[in-house]
Amino acid sequence: FLYRKPAQEIVAPAGYWHDPFHIREFYEIDLFLPVLNNWTHNPLADEYKANFLEVNQVHLFGGPQDGVIDPWQSAFFAFWAPKTTHTMISMTAQSLYVHDYFGLRTMDEEGRLFQTPLPNMQHTDWLTNM
């Protein structure tokens, strides 16, 4: 359902949907993440990367009690290996990092990327001052 054109155009979370069992559909139909992360042809790829690298620091937060993000490690750009929900590929092994598609590796190598796992953080906790 989420990889159908109407869902991509109307349902905002559909753009974040990344299903390890439907990789082809993700790259071909998803209108948001593949473009934003420069995984697919994007005429603005250089501009996206330059803009990302203009940020002084990137702080990533996530945790196993998120309750919405699955896998929760994707808050740190890790994700399931294709066709499985048992094998995790770390951020540094992801193609977007290895090929530095949007500047993530550059940020990390320059010491401007920070990952903070928060074991008791739930998805909406950012709405309140904890």
Side-chain angles (χ1 to χ4, degrees):
F1 168 74
L2 293 177
Y3 289 132
R4 296 189 180 180
K5 189 173 180 173
Q8 288 290 312
E9 293 175 345
I10 297 169
V11 181
Y16 291 97
W17 188 253
H18 188 178
D19 185 339
F21 296 96
H22 295 94
I23 300 298
R24 183 182 57 76
E25 292 90 342
F26 173 71
Y27 288 114
E28 292 177 2
I29 299 168
D30 193 295
L31 299 175
F32 184 68
L33 277 184
V35 176
L36 183 68
N37 292 340
N38 291 333
W39 277 318
T40 59
H41 173 71
N42 175 4
L44 300 174
D46 292 338
E47 184 178 343
Y48 281 18
K49 186 173 183 175
N51 288 344
F52 183 77
L53 290 171
E54 285 291 319
V55 174
N56 290 328
Q57 298 178 342
V58 172
H59 292 263
L60 306 172
F61 301 92
Q65 278 74 39
D66 180 274
V68 174
I69 305 296
D70 183 38
W72 70 268
Q73 296 92 333
S74 65
F76 304 115
F77 288 95
F79 198 67
W80 301 122
K83 306 284 185 205
T84 181
T85 55
H86 302 291
T87 304
M88 185 70 55
I89 300 175
S90 70
M91 174 188 75
T92 57
Q94 296 285 342
S95 65
L96 62 85
Y97 184 93
V98 172
H99 300 290
D100 206 24
Y101 289 145
F102 67 91
L104 189 65
R105 188 182 78 219
T106 298
M107 274 287 197
D108 190 27
E109 290 174 350
E110 292 176 357
R112 298 190 293 149
L113 178 68
F114 301 90
Q115 298 180 10
T116 305
L118 299 169
N120 297 312
M121 182 178 152
Q122 294 184 5
H123 191 73
T124 57
D125 283 348
W126 65 272
L127 294 170
T128 59
N129 185 6
M130 298 180 57

